[in-house]
Amino acid sequence: MNIVAASAKAAVPSRPDPHTRHLSLPVRGMTCASCSSRIERVLGKLPGVEAAAVNLATEQADVDFDPARVSATDVAAAIEKAGFTVPSRTIELAIEGMTCATCSGRVEKVLNKVAGVEAAPVNLATERATIELRAGTAGIADLIAAVEKAGFGARAVLDEDAEAAQEEAEAARRARLDMLTVAAAVVLSLPFFIDMLLMWTGTHMPFPPLLQLVLATIVQFGAGARFYRPAFAALRAGTGNMDLLVVLGTTAAYGLSLFHLIAQPGAHLYFEASTAVITLVLLGKWLEARAKRSTTAAIHALMKLRPETARVLRENREIEVPVSAVDTGDVVVVRPGERLPVDGIITDGATQVDESLLTGESLPVNKAAGDRVTGGAINGDGLLLVRATTVGAESMLARIIRRVRDAQATKAPVQKLVDRIAAVFVPAVVAVALLTLLGWGLSGAAIWKAALINAVTVLVIACPCALGLATPTAIMVGTGTAARHGILIKDAEALELAHRIDTVVFDKTGTLTEGQPTVRDVIAVEGSETDLLRLAASAQQGSEHPLGRAVLAQARELELLPVSDFTALPGRGLRADVGERRLIIGNRRLMADGGIDTSVQENHAGDLERSGNTVVWIGEEGAGLLGLIALGDAVKATAGAAVRRLAEAGIETVMLSGDNRRTADTVAQPLAIERVIAEVLPEDKAAEIAALRRDGHVVAMVGDGVNDAPALAAADVGIAMGTGTDVAMHTAGITLMRGAPELVADAISASRATYNKIRQNLFWAFIYNLIAIPLAVSGQLSPVVAGAAMALSSVSVVSNSLLLRRWRPSSD
């Protein structure tokens, strides 16, 4: 028998029990057959696991188990305990039917109960749920079923662009329908409003009771139907929401009026209270929806930057194709005034490019052959040929849109407090309303009517909507506004933390300096400087370090020698064989480790370093020191202003560098940076950041290279230069789309402005309820005034968030 077939047959029974469930899980971290065998042994020991087969090639585990004895989560946990990873996947759902913070909290709660869900933040403002789901557990259908069981609608978001277009069209349709509903409610309620106004002037308009009943019934159960549906859904789920409060309050007023009309003809009717509250709340929700749509203006503006078609050169002729059909390597023709359809490199032509909506740079940027351009930017007056380098989901514009969307979908830490309050808000309000009814009613035999009206007012005045919208709307507007000015914020946590930053640590190269060093001097101990440069450049042929590239650029006219056995030594230099010579190139530490004496050139080196140059030593095993090369990197023109702005904001600036102390101090002094941490190896940068945090500082790390990624991750907030590496940008919480250090202060300013709005929104939302509910309990308010106040509370919170669109960076 075939051994493989036999083992497979043994691993997975041919006749599994009908109650057995099959599970396929991706597994990461396996390197050999012993890894897969270990996972099989671990899974085989779990109670309820009947068979387990792990495929090393496909990196997948197939498990048959009894769900009554062990869960899919237990299986995944066992794999991770064995030292491997079961990656989670992210699913986004569009949620329909949420009206307040209690709704979003309920959806989040039911999603978190689904097996395999690790996190499921629900954003009321965007009406989206972003679910982190352990692979191989629940599916999209399970998640949607859980949401629907809670009384809401849900659908999977698979294509962001198509979904955005669909949502925009659906929002426009709903807006038209809501406007018609509001208009109809206003017209039908107008006689009640006129009568109330006349009553305040001491007059009265005869208004037949039966006409009042007809108008009020249409408003209550026609226009007000949008409150009844979610209210009943909430009751079925055993919870409450804002709609339930409106329904309880207005139905009580309507029911009391109907009772009076039938049983006590001539008694006062309260139809004006129920109709006015329904109309005013509908008007408020319509205004709120309009304002909420404005919070996504930044996303829509970015999406409109993408042209739908591109002109591509194929077979020596120009053809027009959809942008989605452009492949990497295609040459695209871009005429004057057109938007660039793809990211790429200019192969022919020169122009000025307007990148303001991508990078926040207000002035056009000169571009010529060999320069990189970004899709979505506007071409000036030149005809360009551009070779596409990144297309589709990996293009810069697509990544910016994805980053802004992700940030807007996340929850700030402060939102957790709001969620806990919202979870008990509606039951608490209903309890207060019931106590109000009993308190007033039992205080006198003739006060039950007043008691009911006061209880209705309590139900109507309470508003969990403002609480639910306070944080997400501010984050949506804040992140969108920052993105328009070239500041990409990864998530709400980074946004909230950034406002507390008191220390900013700058990596020197590429952040405070241009990151484009050039050779300033070559000093040979023996022989010619040209021969020394040829040797050094030949060794650097395997290097990606900026200093190595600078040496290669200086030697571009020279014929280089073959290199072999190249070894990069991060933070120190390199070793390589050039011809028959074993070269060591790097800093003093590397020379000392290699037993090479540098004392003969220390005076020269000291003078060069005090002038701000970086000295690279060249030595040969067995022969000693061959010489040195001095390289200089110009300080960015705006670096001084950036440090001054941080100091004015009360933020300490620290410079972190792997360079020697003298060079680092020379760069720091004219920038007024008092604290310099020099001669730090890449692997030690994170430790320096951690030390600052242990001292009680809230630290931001600013960097742009691969070596900076650990330090960016170790900081409270990592800030990456968009001109740097993808690794740095992926690790950082904030990315600056221009390599401008003054944007650091702007990013902190945007965070502080957004956090201030969150605090203002939460203050007004809390203070509104703290003042309004006691007034309603004491009988100081009428249901009509309560309805107007409740409607305006949500509108005011969203409108206050929209004021963030006025924020402008000081560097503009």
Side-chain angles (χ1 to χ4, degrees):
M1 179 185 284
N2 184 291
I3 295 175
V4 175
S7 62
K9 187 175 181 181
V12 182
S14 59
R15 286 180 160 183
D17 188 287
H19 300 294
T20 297
R21 180 181 167 189
H22 181 77
L23 175 67
S24 292
L25 283 175
V27 180
R28 300 290 179 267
M30 295 187 294
T31 57
C32 63
S34 62
C35 296
S36 55
S37 299
R38 186 160 83 251
I39 296 172
E40 287 179 355
R41 286 196 302 273
V42 167
L43 293 177
K45 292 177 182 178
L46 286 177
V49 170
E50 298 176 3
V54 180
N55 190 313
L56 176 63
T58 61
E59 295 186 304
Q60 182 168 298
D62 289 283
V63 186
D64 288 335
F65 66 100
D66 181 356
R69 300 178 63 196
V70 67
S71 68
T73 304
D74 295 331
V75 173
I79 294 173
E80 292 185 337
K81 191 175 180 180
F84 303 92
T85 304
V86 179
S88 60
R89 57 179 176 143
T90 300
I91 294 174
E92 192 163 18
L93 296 181
I95 309 295
E96 299 168 354
M98 294 191 299
T99 57
C100 65
T102 52
C103 297
S104 58
R106 188 161 80 255
V107 173
E108 191 167 314
K109 191 174 181 179
V110 298
L111 285 172
N112 278 313
K113 287 182 178 178
V114 176
V117 171
E118 297 176 337
V122 178
N123 190 313
L124 174 63
T126 60
E127 298 181 328
R128 295 281 184 93
T130 306
I131 301 128
E132 289 293 325
L133 186 66
R134 192 183 291 275
T137 52
I140 293 176
D142 301 309
L143 300 172
I144 292 175
V147 174
E148 290 177 343
K149 189 176 180 181
F152 301 91
R155 67 178 188 278
V157 178
L158 301 176
D159 185 331
E160 280 285 3
D161 292 342
E163 185 70 26
Q166 181 182 339
E167 284 184 356
E168 198 167 352
E170 178 63 20
R173 187 192 68 78
R174 281 203 311 263
R176 289 193 297 270
L177 182 61
D178 290 346
M179 186 174 64
L180 291 173
T181 305
V182 169
V186 168
V187 170
L188 293 169
S189 303
L190 197 57
F192 294 105
F193 283 114
I194 293 172
D195 189 37
M196 284 187 290
L197 289 172
L198 290 174
M199 287 173 62
W200 289 341
T201 62
T203 59
H204 179 64
M205 180 183 73
F207 196 7
L210 286 177
L211 179 59
Q212 291 187 48
L213 174 62
V214 171
L215 295 178
T217 301
I218 297 173
V219 173
Q220 183 74 35
F221 302 105
R226 59 96 64 220
F227 299 113
Y228 279 90
R229 285 189 294 270
F232 285 136
L235 283 175
R236 283 197 302 271
T239 183
N241 58 11
M242 182 273 296
D243 302 283
L244 182 62
L245 298 180
V246 173
V247 165
L248 287 175
T250 58
T251 304
Y254 176 88
L256 178 62
S257 302
L258 186 60
F259 172 77
H260 282 178
L261 183 63
I262 296 171
Q264 299 178 5
H268 182 73
L269 304 178
Y270 297 97
F271 285 127
E272 79 279 355
S274 63
T275 55
V277 167
I278 292 261
T279 301
L280 289 170
V281 175
L282 280 174
L283 178 62
K285 299 303 284 183
W286 178 66
L287 292 172
E288 176 192 317
R290 284 192 62 184
K292 279 168 64 179
R293 286 197 297 274
S294 298
T295 63
T296 59
I299 283 284
H300 292 309
L302 287 169
M303 291 179 66
K304 288 176 181 176
L305 294 182
R306 290 187 283 203
E308 294 183 359
T309 60
R311 297 184 188 87
V312 180
L313 287 180
R314 288 181 181 165
E315 298 178 358
N316 295 322
R317 64 190 184 92
E318 187 180 311
I319 61 171
E320 191 168 293
V321 299
V323 170
S324 58
V326 178
D327 292 327
T328 301
D330 280 346
V331 176
V332 178
V333 180
V334 186
R335 296 197 172 104
E338 292 182 340
R339 288 196 183 276
L340 291 151
V342 293
D343 298 352
I345 298 173
I346 298 175
T347 59
D348 188 35
T351 189
Q352 287 189 323
V353 173
D354 180 358
E355 299 176 331
S356 57
L357 280 174
L358 293 167
T359 66
E361 176 61 65
S362 55
L363 298 175
V365 181
N366 291 322
K367 298 287 184 180
D371 288 338
R372 290 186 174 275
V373 289
T374 305
I378 302 173
N379 181 24
D381 54 6
L383 177 67
L384 300 179
L385 296 182
V386 178
R387 177 173 286 107
T389 54
T390 52
V391 296
E394 295 307 311
S395 68
M396 179 63 73
L397 181 55
R399 288 159 67 190
I400 291 173
I401 292 171
R402 194 158 57 242
R403 178 70 71 92
V404 176
R405 274 185 176 141
D406 290 346
Q408 293 183 345
T410 57
K411 284 189 176 184
V414 71
Q415 183 70 20
K416 295 175 183 177
L417 170 64
V418 176
D419 290 344
R420 287 198 296 271
I421 294 171
V424 298
F425 188 90
V426 174
V429 170
V430 172
V432 171
L434 183 60
L435 290 173
T436 302
L437 176 66
L438 295 174
W440 278 86
L442 295 175
S443 64
I447 311 183
W448 280 103
K449 294 175 185 177
L452 181 61
I453 292 302
N454 291 338
V456 167
T457 305
V458 170
L459 291 170
V460 172
I461 196 73
C463 184
C465 300
L467 284 174
L469 293 169
T471 300
T473 53
I475 288 171
M476 289 173 71
V477 180
T479 53
T481 301
R484 286 206 306 273
H485 296 285
I487 301 165
L488 290 186
I489 299 170
K490 185 177 184 179
D491 52 38
E493 185 174 0
L495 184 72
E496 185 174 328
L497 275 173
H499 88 278
R500 296 195 289 113
I501 290 169
D502 59 32
T503 305
V504 173
V505 180
F506 284 97
D507 177 59
K508 178 177 75 71
T509 305
T511 52
L512 294 173
T513 66
E514 295 290 349
Q516 297 176 341
T518 57
V519 174
R520 302 282 178 83
D521 203 354
V522 180
I523 299 174
V525 175
E526 293 180 3
S528 70
E529 281 74 15
T530 301
D531 289 341
L532 181 64
L533 181 62
R534 178 183 286 108
L535 278 174
S538 297
Q540 298 281 7
Q541 289 176 94
S543 174
E544 287 296 321
H545 195 281
L547 296 180
R549 291 198 297 270
V551 173
L552 281 167
Q554 185 71 17
R556 59 183 174 274
E557 303 296 330
L558 302 177
E559 184 178 346
L560 300 183
L561 304 170
V563 62
S564 60
D565 198 14
F566 175 92
T567 303
L569 305 169
R572 294 184 294 165
L574 62 89
R575 282 189 172 90
D577 290 339
V578 176
E580 299 297 322
R581 310 175 76 168
R582 180 66 171 168
L583 298 184
I584 304 173
I585 301 177
N587 57 22
R588 284 183 180 82
R589 184 181 301 176
L590 183 60
M591 294 299 111
D593 291 345
I596 295 175
D597 182 15
T598 60
S599 59
V600 68
Q601 289 294 338
E602 279 296 344
N603 288 336
H604 277 113
D607 292 340
L608 290 167
E609 287 167 346
R610 279 186 286 273
S611 299
N613 297 299
T614 298
V615 170
V616 175
W617 301 88
I618 299 99
E620 181 182 355
E621 288 186 0
L625 184 67
L626 301 181
L628 60 87
I629 297 176
L631 299 104
D633 189 6
V635 175
K636 289 181 177 178
T638 58
V643 174
R644 280 196 303 275
R645 283 189 55 204
L646 290 171
E648 290 167 1
I651 298 170
E652 181 187 5
T653 302
V654 178
M655 190 174 81
L656 185 64
S657 177
D659 221 328
N660 67 82
R661 167 65 61 179
R662 281 180 294 208
T663 301
D665 286 341
T666 301
V667 173
Q669 285 171 3
L671 298 178
I673 298 176
E674 295 182 0
R675 187 169 182 180
V676 177
I677 305 173
E679 300 178 14
V680 181
L681 292 173
E683 58 267 28
D684 295 334
K685 288 183 178 181
E688 295 290 346
I689 298 296
L692 288 169
R693 293 182 66 190
R694 282 196 300 273
D695 290 340
H697 295 288
V698 180
V699 182
M701 169 69 193
V702 187
D704 73 332
V706 173
N707 292 338
D708 298 325
L712 291 171
D716 292 287
V717 180
I719 302 178
M721 294 289 186
T723 51
T725 63
D726 285 348
V727 173
M729 287 186 278
H730 179 75
T731 307
I734 298 174
T735 298
L736 310 178
M737 295 308 296
R738 305 196 309 274
E742 70 268 26
L743 278 181
V744 174
D746 289 332
I748 296 172
S749 170
S751 168
R752 288 179 173 178
T754 304
Y755 192 72
N756 285 339
K757 283 298 176 195
I758 291 173
R759 293 200 317 185
Q760 290 169 18
N761 287 347
L762 289 174
F763 171 79
W764 288 115
F766 279 117
I767 206 70
Y768 160 82
N769 284 294
L770 286 174
I771 293 173
I773 292 176
L775 286 175
V777 170
S778 62
Q780 303 289 320
L781 298 175
S782 73
V784 176
V785 174
M790 192 268 267
L792 289 174
S793 65
S794 297
V795 176
S796 64
V797 163
V798 180
S799 300
N800 189 46
S801 295
L802 287 173
L803 292 176
L804 277 170
R805 294 166 70 178
R806 298 180 180 178
W807 178 85
R808 294 289 181 274
S810 301
S811 57
D812 276 6

